[in-house]
Amino acid sequence: MHSQARRLFKLALSPVLLLLGLLSTGALAEEAQRWQMNLSPGVTEVGAEIYELHMIVIWICVVIGVVVFGAMFYSVFTHRKSKGAKPADFHESTAVEIAWTVVPFIILIVMAFPATKTLLEVYNFEDTELDILVTGYQWKWKYEYIDENGENVAFFSNLRTGKTEIYNEDGKGEHYLREVDEPLVLPVNTKVRFLVTANDVIHSWWVPSLAVKKDAIPGFINETWSKPLKTGVYRGQCAELCGRDHGYMPIVVHVVEQDEYDSWLAGKKVKAAKIKSLMDKQFTLDEQMVAGKTVYNQYCVACHGVNGEGGIGNAIAGSSIATGDIYGHIDMGVNGVPGTAMQAFGAQLNDVDMAAVLTFQRNAFGNNMGDIIQPIDVYNFKQGQ
Amino acid sequence: MSGQSNSDYEAYYVPEKSYLAIFVSLTLFTTLVGAAKILNDMTFGDPAQETNSWFIFTIALVLLLCSMFVWFRTTIVENRAGMNSRQLKHSYNIGMQWFIFSEVMFFAVFFGALWYVRNLSGPWLAGEGEAGRLNDILWPGFTYNWPMMETPQDAVGISNQVIANNGEMTGPARNMSFPGWSNILHWLPLWNTIILMSSSVTAHIAHLRLLAGNRKGQNLWLGITVALGFIFVYVQYVEYHEAFYEYGLFVSSGIYGSTFFMLTGFHGFHVCLGAFMLLVQWLRSARSEHFTPEDHFGFEASSWYWHFVDVVWVGLFLFVYII
Amino acid sequence: MGAHGPATQGLMRWVTTTNHKDIGTMYLWFSFAMFIMGGAFAMIIRAELFQPGLQIVEPEFFNQMTTMHGLVMVFGAIMPSFVGLANWMIPMMIGAPDMALPRMNNLSFWILPPTFLLLASTLFMEGGAPNFGWTFYAPLSTTYAPDTVTFFIFGVHLMGLSSIMGSINIIATVVNLRAPGMTYMKMPMFVWTWLITAFLLIAVMPVLAGLVTMMLMDIHFGTSFFSAAGGGDPVLFQHVFWFFGHPEVYIIILPAFGVVSQIIPTFARKPLFGYDSMVYATASIAFLSFIVWAHHMYTVGMPVAGELFFMYATMLIAVPTGVKVFNWITTMWKGSMTFETPMLFSIGFVFLFTIGGFTGVMLSLAPVDFQYHDSYFVVAHFHYVMVAGAVFSMSAAVYYWLPKWCGKMYNESMGKAHFWISFVGFNLTFFPQHFLGLAGMPRRIPDYALQFTDFNTMSSIGAFIYGSSQILFLFNVVRTIVAGKPTSEEKTWEGAEGLEWTVPTPAPYHTFSTPPEVK
Ligand code: HEA
Ligand code: HEA
Ligand code: CUA
Ligand SMILES: [Cu+2]
């Protein structure tokens, strides 16, 4: 009987050991990989702590499992009628009941200590060095670097993977669904505070390697932080069901050296200042047509077609709105049509680009309005809303 | 119940078959489908378009009420024919008690929601507390007060709010809270509290009369209870009228209006239901001499329900109107 | 009243019946139909996730599938199946002639078919079926919902009504109709677990009703419960939902515990170990289930004190659940076991449910849950407890009591095949999902990054295997009913105990018209 029990025990243990052998291979990587089976410790201290806690609990569960299932399968294999086992008739024991109430309780307390410590660490917002406002939109992220002098830098980050890849018409690139047009850029070794909120429905900002997941609640700001210790590219995606394209809302974070970050930010600021200066400028029709075409091809073409012939969206060529009242047209661009694919572009496009693309629509594809929408018109429209 | 002898059980009556359930089920279902269609027409529909929603709803509702009437009538007839064992009557008692418990939990949701917005999310929106200290960014200028006369949207302006526009949510012009000692006599909720509390007392007196075998007294006190119930509903109607037309207070007046009408509205609905139940018991007693001191489940259940509705009002009066 | 048959024959027998066995049968068949429907939705999900890229459905429809799968499985398959079991077994186990309120019992059932017909028909309506997940968080389910959300809301009201009436009935039956001598502490465990489940249902179904009512008001009447602009809070929705939702998951599992507590002693030929502590453990789980709800919301931005409270409370649930697991194993210990299909499923239950429980404890640790939350790790967790928990125990129950119900014996080898294929298929489906979640795959997505391909393919293959094994189950049950080997032994199983095994086989239409005396 005794040797059989030992054999069974080994038998029960071997798949577990095999499994853990496999698990540990995943643990070394920062970037999610094929066949990855385990959590990654990521590139932050908190992430490493979480990973450790995770492993501790797995091991505790494995040990409990070995004991409990060991006992069960031992019984299943030996106390069977076919082997002539006769039923015993014990059916209660207060001592045993107390023991197996108290022992798990103690085990839980053992788990609770490191868990509490890590949780308090996650909630420790002291000494954050950089604030970034993260806003979820259906279905893209907006990042705004908050600056003490009010020179905030803000931009949207959209999925870059094309429809043809998604619909299997083209081969899928290496970072299929986890690539964006403009990534978030962070300086390394900096404790960054993320202020997370949403514009429409609830989203959740999740980058496993940064050990951050925080829900973006419309109308409320949640805070969380991360301090990446290694440069690199870290990817994640929206983690709260937020409607049709919930699966197409990736997050890409470039963690770079401080000086690289500084020059990137400075570049962004220059660009922002330029847009500001353009606000009062009066553009000519030609200028607007050139600028507008670029914007159109970036933002509108997917739905309205290369020649404005329409598709998902209505045709722009001959459209009563694009050839109608200017303010109706601005309204369409700024506010979209709720409940349709035509979203509100007011927050995504700055006034300069908006003015350009609308002017373009009024004067391209055979539309021949001849009027020009200036940035200030869009600005005034938004103010008057 | 383990002490009972076998003979009790043999009297147990299981109806052979019944069409009641299927009628109630189908009419109830159709009523709700009709109601859903009405709401959808109202919110998403094209007003110019004729739909049959009201027709479906009305017909189904009438049929539902008829089926329920037949159902209750059947049980009463069976009981009066002596078909119900003591045990079955006890089952009815248990059933009613747990039904009231479910109603308690239903109201608990709205009280809970009120508690949550008043103590947690309201202050958070105004940038108070650990979880809200950053919300100034979203709602600058919003300060939290209860009753919330100015919503966050009011504070920043609808076109400046940072979340997508889901419609106008403007606070009321005035609220229903305690208007100060000098106006206390014009404060309808106070009168309603007095009315409803006394109706609970009269219901209890009616019960005592019933137990004492005094049918006249029972009818009198029960009648008074029903009358008080309907007076309450009338006063509530006056109060709503005032809210709409003088205070600019609607269901859509921000979270104050939402919670106010949800709580008082559902309570008012339950008062109507309870008063109607009592009215039926009064008719049964006054016209058909139903109920004996030993056997009066219909009366008892309705009066439990009535006391429950009364207790909810006390909670309402405290948490919606006073505190 | 004698032991004669139904008063009417044909379709009207079922429509008008007040008999607990008829109603139980209808519940069981209804729930199986819903299981197939929910399963079909799951198959669409798994087929789409077989490979990265969009192959067979559009994202919008995928979301509808996920939502309908969750809703139909939880409210249409699992809950009604256990209510059916309660209807059949509770009166027979406590020596009662029928349920306490037979006509209402019929109503509880007949509300369900039209309700689920309506829910299913939203798939064909303009705007499509509910697409906001079975947890339907606002404002996705309010401001941004398809118009059919109104039907969904009234559907939830109806389901709630049905559950509340069913539970009132069960409580009245158990409290009031026990045979003389059947004290509370002599009741079979299954009856105990249902008594407590019924209490949970009456406590939380109204909460769900209140919640959808608030949604209705937000959608159609301009209230602002879940909109910050008017002073409300979307997170309020989640608190109320999970106040319902967490007890709900124990509503699903407690009757399953009851079933397993009936079956293991039978096949171990040894009384249930620690009956009293089982009762107390069940009650403790029920109590704790009311104070842990926010463990689903660790990432919504609660104050840290809240996180800690809910974390500690959640961890505590492992203690009474552990007591149950240990008691089952000790019941087997030194028994004289045989391994007929019900026993196989019960052992499978104990094994796999415990694994699901372990992942539950991992999820309960707030800081680690920041990584697990809304990933496939959670999906793996809850399928371990709900499929290998509830569905396995339901399969066990059907095999266990089927001979008593219809007087025919099922085919044992087919039953065993069902178990083993299920066991392998199930683990192949859901074990790899742990890895997917840990590697960072979120749930509720129709398409995924390339590194998740391999385990998804594995999972899909497992799902098809597991799904197919249910055909075997259906076939076995139907074959038993029409052509099984007749049996008239009162006690189908050598080691079975309890009043249900003292009545003739198949159980006559009316049992215990005169209550038995229990010593
Ligand atoms: C039948 C249903 C069921 C059951 C029984 C459970 C049981 C448990 N669940 Fe689970 N859970 C769900 C269904 C269920 N759950 C569902 C559906 C969801 C997802 C909902 C959604 O978002 O859609 C979910 C999600 C969920 C979450 C949220 C995850 C997230 O979204 O981030 C958490 C977090 O704490 C959790 C915890 C637990 C715990 C601690 C238990 C415990 O009860 C488990 C206790 C059991 C054991 C621990 C095993 C036996 C014990 C021993 C052998 C003793 C010794 C053990 C130790 C000392 C560790 N569950
Ligand atoms: C008790 C409840 C229950 C049950 C039994 C199941 C059973 C199954 N579930 Fe489900 N599931 C949930 C409750 C349940 N699930 C919930 C609550 C969610 C969350 C929803 C949300 O996010 O909102 C979820 C989500 C969920 C997901 C995640 C979806 C997403 O995030 O997008 C997946 C993915 O693999 C999945 C798969 C399965 C599979 C393969 C089964 C299988 O066990 C099903 C097997 C059954 C059948 C297949 C039917 C019977 C068989 C036949 C009729 C034979 C014919 C079949 C073939 C030929 C193949 N489920
Ligand atoms: Cu945004 Cu999901
Ligand atoms: Cu839970």
Side-chain angles (χ1 to χ4, degrees):
Chain A
M1 220 31 133
H2 216 80
S3 67
Q4 198 187 1
R6 207 174 311 145
R7 217 186 62 220
L8 276 168
F9 183 76
K10 270 193 203 149
L11 201 73
L13 206 59
S14 57
V16 176
L17 292 178
L18 188 80
L19 194 73
L20 283 155
L22 281 170
L23 281 175
S24 49
T25 52
L28 305 171
E30 287 132 25
E31 263 250 49
Q33 296 186 333
R34 268 191 91 149
W35 294 108
Q36 179 178 335
M37 298 169 108
N38 201 359
L39 210 60
S40 119
V43 291
T44 63
E45 259 171 55
V46 170
E49 254 179 67
I50 288 178
Y51 173 77
E52 223 169 274
L53 188 54
H54 162 81
M55 289 316 289
I56 293 175
V57 184
I58 285 198
W59 276 111
I60 293 181
C61 289
V62 166
V63 171
I64 300 176
V66 167
V67 172
V68 173
F69 300 142
M72 183 171 91
F73 286 112
Y74 174 79
S75 178
V76 162
F77 283 107
T78 52
H79 304 144
R80 40 171 78 206
K81 198 180 174 197
S82 57
K83 293 196 173 166
K86 292 271 171 300
D89 64 352
F90 59 86
H91 59 87
E92 66 194 341
S93 156
T94 311
V96 172
E97 300 286 352
I98 291 176
W100 65 42
T101 308
V102 172
V103 171
F105 189 72
I106 293 171
I107 298 175
L108 291 172
I109 293 178
V110 169
M111 289 184 197
F113 273 106
T116 307
K117 185 177 150 272
T118 309
L119 186 68
L120 293 177
E121 179 69 30
V122 173
Y123 271 77
N124 176 1
F125 290 97
E126 275 163 33
D127 309 321
T128 52
E129 297 156 79
L130 171 64
D131 280 351
I132 297 178
L133 180 63
V134 178
T135 312
Y137 285 74
Q138 278 180 328
W139 291 276
K140 52 190 163 272
W141 294 99
K142 180 184 175 192
Y143 300 114
E144 185 163 357
Y145 290 69
I146 296 176
D147 185 295
E148 286 125 53
N149 311 324
E151 287 179 48
N152 289 3
V153 166
F155 56 90
F156 279 84
S157 181
N158 294 281
L159 174 73
R160 212 182 57 199
T161 309
K163 285 258 182 288
T164 51
E165 276 181 58
I166 293 173
Y167 285 94
N168 310 308
E169 289 151 18
D170 274 341
K172 297 187 185 352
E174 187 191 354
H175 294 298
Y176 177 67
L177 296 189
R178 292 213 160 177
E179 48 195 355
V180 296
D181 52 2
E182 263 195 273
L184 179 70
V185 179
L186 299 180
V188 72
N189 281 325
T190 308
K191 188 168 180 181
V192 186
R193 184 168 72 152
F194 300 101
L195 315 181
V196 186
T197 184
N199 167 268
D200 32 47
V201 301
I202 302 178
H203 304 264
S204 187
W205 200 77
W206 181 25
V207 183
S209 299
L210 301 186
V212 167
K213 181 187 286 137
K214 204 75 184 176
D215 290 0
I217 315 277
F220 290 82
I221 288 188
N222 276 332
E223 55 183 336
T224 182
W225 64 271
S226 184
K227 186 174 179 183
L229 302 175
K230 257 167 101 176
T231 57
V233 181
Y234 307 110
R235 297 168 203 272
Q237 65 189 96
C238 176
E240 181 64 60
L241 178 61
C242 53
R244 191 188 68 218
D245 287 345
H246 161 59
Y248 301 97
M249 220 177 135
I251 299 158
V252 178
V253 181
H254 283 210
V255 176
V256 298
E257 295 297 341
Q258 183 72 40
D259 46 357
E260 201 181 326
Y261 168 78
D262 289 338
S263 60
W264 172 84
L265 193 66
K268 278 279 178 198
K269 281 190 177 157
V270 169
K271 218 170 131 199
K274 200 166 136 213
I275 288 170
K276 219 173 194 173
S277 73
L278 291 178
M279 280 302 293
D280 303 325
K281 190 174 163 200
Q282 293 287 321
F283 290 91
T284 66
L285 186 56
D286 289 342
E287 281 170 333
Q288 289 293 64
M289 288 302 283
V290 174
K293 184 161 185 171
T294 325
V295 181
Y296 183 85
N297 285 334
Q298 192 180 349
Y299 286 94
C300 325
V301 75
C303 300
H304 291 291
V306 206
N307 297 314
E309 72 277 13
I312 297 172
N314 299 357
I316 298 299
S319 143
S320 60
I321 291 174
T323 60
D325 173 45
I326 285 195
Y327 287 98
H329 196 180
I330 298 181
D331 185 33
M332 177 64 72
V334 170
N335 294 319
V337 183
T340 70
M342 182 61 203
Q343 37 186 305
F345 284 94
Q348 268 190 79
L349 293 180
N350 59 51
D351 298 350
V352 176
D353 286 347
M354 179 65 80
V357 74
L358 294 179
T359 310
F360 174 74
Q361 286 190 339
R362 297 179 82 73
N363 296 290
F365 318 132
N367 295 347
N368 226 330
M369 297 303 291
D371 45 14
I372 309 167
I373 298 177
Q374 299 294 353
I376 194 73
D377 297 330
V378 179
Y379 179 81
N380 287 338
F381 174 84
K382 283 183 175 170
Q383 287 306 304
Q385 239 180 15
Chain B
M1 290 294 110
S2 44
Q4 280 168 332
S5 71
N6 274 7
S7 59
D8 269 336
Y9 290 86
E10 277 171 287
Y12 198 82
Y13 169 64
V14 179
E16 291 254 299
K17 61 169 184 175
S18 161
Y19 285 90
L20 292 168
I22 192 73
F23 277 119
V24 170
S25 153
L26 291 181
T27 50
L28 174 66
F29 174 76
T30 318
T31 307
L32 287 190
V33 170
K37 278 169 62 80
I38 292 172
L39 291 174
N40 274 4
D41 289 348
M42 186 182 90
T43 309
F44 310 112
D46 173 359
Q49 213 166 11
E50 287 274 326
T51 69
N52 52 7
S53 314
W54 276 101
F55 178 75
I56 297 178
F57 174 74
T58 319
I59 299 281
L61 184 63
V62 170
L63 291 176
L64 171 64
L65 294 176
C66 292
S67 327
M68 287 176 65
F69 173 77
V70 177
W71 189 319
F72 285 115
R73 210 186 67 120
T74 311
T75 21
I76 292 168
V77 169
E78 279 170 6
N79 187 33
R80 297 198 50 81
M83 288 154 93
N84 293 0
S85 63
R86 227 180 60 220
Q87 210 182 4
L88 180 59
K89 289 174 188 162
H90 190 54
S91 289
Y92 281 144
N93 272 346
I94 298 173
M96 189 66 195
Q97 285 157 11
W98 285 98
F99 170 66
I100 291 180
F101 174 62
S102 80
E103 291 271 41
V104 170
M105 292 308 292
F106 184 72
F107 274 100
V109 177
F110 305 125
F111 279 108
L114 180 66
W115 180 86
Y116 180 89
V117 291
R118 287 183 59 169
N119 293 295
L120 301 175
S121 69
W124 289 344
L125 278 169
E128 296 163 24
E130 184 199 329
R133 61 198 167 103
L134 296 160
N135 283 328
D136 282 346
I137 303 179
L138 298 181
W139 308 107
F142 173 68
T143 48
Y144 171 72
N145 288 302
W146 193 264
M148 191 184 286
M149 308 302 284
E150 190 193 52
T151 61
Q153 187 181 67
D154 289 333
V156 300
I158 187 162
S159 54
N160 295 327
Q161 75 180 23
V162 283
I163 60 176
N165 182 3
N166 313 325
E168 235 175 285
M169 289 163 181
T170 312
R174 279 173 64 188
N175 62 61
M176 290 297 186
S177 295
F178 183 54
W181 292 106
S182 50
N183 291 322
I184 190 153
L185 292 181
H186 299 286
W187 193 37
L188 297 177
L190 179 67
W191 291 109
N192 254 348
T193 309
I194 296 169
I195 293 168
L196 211 55
M197 301 276 273
S198 14
S199 81
S200 236
V201 175
T202 56
H204 185 64
I205 299 179
H207 195 184
L208 293 177
R209 294 290 179 276
L210 170 58
L211 290 175
N214 175 350
R215 174 148 332 255
K216 260 204 170 141
Q218 177 205 345
N219 291 346
L220 174 70
W221 287 104
L222 188 54
I224 296 177
T225 312
V226 173
L228 286 173
F230 284 113
I231 294 174
F232 174 92
V233 175
Y234 176 73
V235 176
Q236 186 80 37
Y237 163 78
V238 174
E239 193 194 337
Y240 274 17
H241 192 74
E242 202 171 78
F244 292 156
Y245 297 104
E246 287 167 37
Y247 291 17
L249 174 59
F250 307 99
V251 264
S252 54
S253 302
I255 194 67
Y256 177 71
S258 309
T259 49
F260 176 80
F261 282 105
M262 200 74 162
L263 277 158
T264 56
F266 268 105
H267 177 264
F269 174 69
H270 281 75
V271 174
C272 293
L273 209 67
F276 180 74
M277 278 160 66
L278 288 174
L279 178 65
V280 173
Q281 312 313 320
W282 183 76
L283 287 173
R284 284 178 65 190
S285 172
R287 292 192 42 212
S288 323
E289 308 243 311
H290 286 187
F291 307 132
T292 63
E294 297 78 40
D295 185 8
H296 49 266
F297 171 71
F299 176 90
E300 203 165 17
S302 313
S303 80
W304 283 340
Y305 196 75
W306 194 250
H307 292 312
F308 152 71
V309 167
D310 194 27
V311 170
V312 173
W313 177 263
V314 175
L316 266 175
F317 187 55
L318 265 176
F319 295 112
V320 175
Y321 291 102
I322 296 188
I323 298 176
Chain C
M1 187 175 308
H4 55 72
T8 320
Q9 287 300 334
L11 178 66
M12 279 302 141
R13 161 182 176 186
W14 301 101
V15 170
T16 64
T17 187
T18 51
N19 178 288
H20 72 104
K21 301 190 181 78
D22 281 354
I23 295 173
T25 305
M26 291 195 293
Y27 263 115
L28 289 172
W29 279 113
F30 172 76
S31 66
F32 195 79
M34 288 300 114
F35 181 60
I36 291 180
M37 183 159 106
F41 297 151
M43 292 300 117
I44 296 176
I45 294 173
R46 282 313 333 163
E48 177 56 57
L49 293 176
F50 189 73
Q51 274 178 22
L54 291 179
Q55 284 84 22
I56 57 172
V57 295
E58 288 294 311
E60 179 60 28
F61 189 70
F62 184 91
N63 290 346
Q64 297 176 23
M65 287 293 102
T66 299
T67 308
M68 294 292 278
H69 165 68
L71 287 173
V72 167
M73 282 300 196
V74 169
F75 295 104
I78 300 303
M79 288 170 65
S81 72
F82 283 112
V83 180
L85 214 52
N87 258 296
W88 251 102
M89 301 319 298
I90 288 180
M92 296 217 300
M93 285 176 157
I94 61 173
D98 204 299
M99 296 294 281
L101 304 161
R103 268 186 298 243
M104 192 171 85
N105 199 14
N106 192 24
L107 177 59
S108 311
F109 172 75
W110 276 107
I111 286 179
L112 291 180
T115 305
F116 278 89
L117 205 67
L118 176 70
L119 265 188
S121 68
T122 55
L123 277 168
F124 306 101
M125 292 182 194
E126 204 185 310
N131 55 6
F132 26 64
W134 86 286
T135 53
F136 54 101
Y137 284 3
L140 188 62
S141 64
T142 54
T143 319
Y144 295 84
D147 304 356
T148 51
V149 65
T150 318
F151 294 112
F152 162 82
I153 288 173
F154 284 118
V156 171
H157 278 127
L158 285 168
M159 287 182 317
L161 201 65
S162 161
S163 294
I164 291 171
M165 289 192 301
S167 307
I168 289 177
N169 220 331
I170 287 171
I171 292 190
T173 309
V174 174
V175 171
N176 199 24
L177 261 58
R178 277 169 292 120
M182 173 68 79
T183 59
Y184 280 111
M185 291 315 266
K186 278 190 191 159
M187 291 193 314
M189 264 321 281
F190 179 70
V191 180
W192 255 116
T193 52
W194 244 117
L195 180 64
I196 291 170
T197 304
F199 164 73
L200 286 180
L201 273 168
I202 301 181
V204 301
M205 288 316 277
V207 174
L208 181 64
L211 179 67
V212 291
T213 308
M214 288 196 270
M215 275 172 66
L216 191 77
M217 298 296 288
D218 266 15
I219 295 170
H220 295 293
F221 297 98
T223 54
S224 39
F225 288 107
F226 309 128
S227 170
D233 184 353
V235 175
L236 168 62
F237 177 98
Q238 299 183 24
H239 281 291
V240 183
F241 180 85
W242 288 115
F243 186 82
F244 147 80
H246 188 81
E248 168 70 24
V249 308
Y250 292 104
I251 287 166
I252 288 172
I253 207 66
L254 289 185
F257 287 171
V259 167
V260 171
S261 304
Q262 297 301 124
I263 294 178
I264 291 181
T266 297
F267 294 96
R269 293 172 178 71
K270 196 163 151 279
L272 182 66
F273 187 84
Y275 174 93
D276 293 14
S277 62
M278 287 296 239
V279 172
Y280 301 137
T282 313
S284 321
I285 293 175
F287 167 73
L288 286 173
S289 75
F290 285 107
I291 54 165
V292 301
W293 74 87
H295 64 217
H296 296 273
M297 305 163 54
Y298 287 138
T299 60
V300 297
M302 267 186 291
V304 66
E307 302 255 329
L308 285 171
F309 171 80
F310 287 109
M311 175 167 90
Y312 297 149
T314 305
M315 293 170 76
L316 272 185
I317 297 192
V319 173
T321 318
V323 168
K324 304 204 78 138
V325 171
F326 301 138
N327 279 324
W328 289 322
I329 292 175
T330 317
T331 306
M332 295 185 218
W333 189 260
K334 298 221 159 164
S336 170
M337 275 187 273
T338 51
F339 300 93
E340 288 85 348
T341 313
M343 184 62 165
L344 287 180
F345 271 105
S346 300
I347 294 175
F349 170 96
V350 175
F351 180 49
L352 298 175
F353 170 80
T354 304
I355 294 179
F358 287 152
T359 51
V361 171
M362 296 171 72
L363 290 164
S364 73
L365 301 172
V368 204
D369 184 67
F370 291 151
Q371 293 284 36
Y372 304 146
H373 177 68
D374 259 330
S375 77
Y376 259 78
F377 192 79
V378 178
V379 177
H381 157 69
F382 66 72
H383 284 91
Y384 264 78
V385 282
M386 296 212 289
V387 179
V391 180
F392 270 31
S393 87
M394 199 56 220
S395 311
V398 170
Y399 287 114
Y400 185 59
W401 281 301
L402 192 61
K404 177 56 76 186
W405 294 340
C406 66
K408 312 236 178 89
M409 196 62 200
Y410 64 87
N411 180 318
E412 191 63 63
S413 357
M414 221 190 287
K416 287 196 166 126
H418 172 211
F419 170 73
W420 284 110
I421 303 176
S422 291
F423 185 84
V424 171
F426 169 81
N427 283 297
L428 191 57
T429 314
F430 294 109
F431 208 75
Q433 292 186 358
H434 292 112
F435 305 147
L436 286 172
L438 294 176
M441 174 165 165
R443 53 194 284 210
R444 295 163 166 172
I445 55 173
D447 191 1
Y448 46 82
L450 298 182
Q451 71 261 26
F452 305 127
T453 310
D454 309 279
F455 288 126
N456 266 304
T457 306
M458 222 187 260
S459 175
S460 293
I461 293 172
F464 301 142
I465 297 176
Y466 179 74
S468 317
S469 77
Q470 306 307 315
I471 302 181
L472 203 59
F473 180 44
L474 179 63
F475 179 76
N476 200 354
V477 171
V478 174
R479 202 201 67 99
T480 309
I481 294 170
V482 298
K485 196 164 96 270
T487 160
S488 58
E489 271 176 292
E490 281 167 11
K491 229 166 120 169
T492 311
W493 312 106
E494 186 192 353
E497 298 282 345
L499 288 178
E500 82 262 36
W501 304 109
T502 63
V503 301
T505 299
Y509 198 62
H510 294 290
T511 36
F512 297 124
S513 301
T514 324
E517 197 82 44
V518 179
K519 275 169 243 28

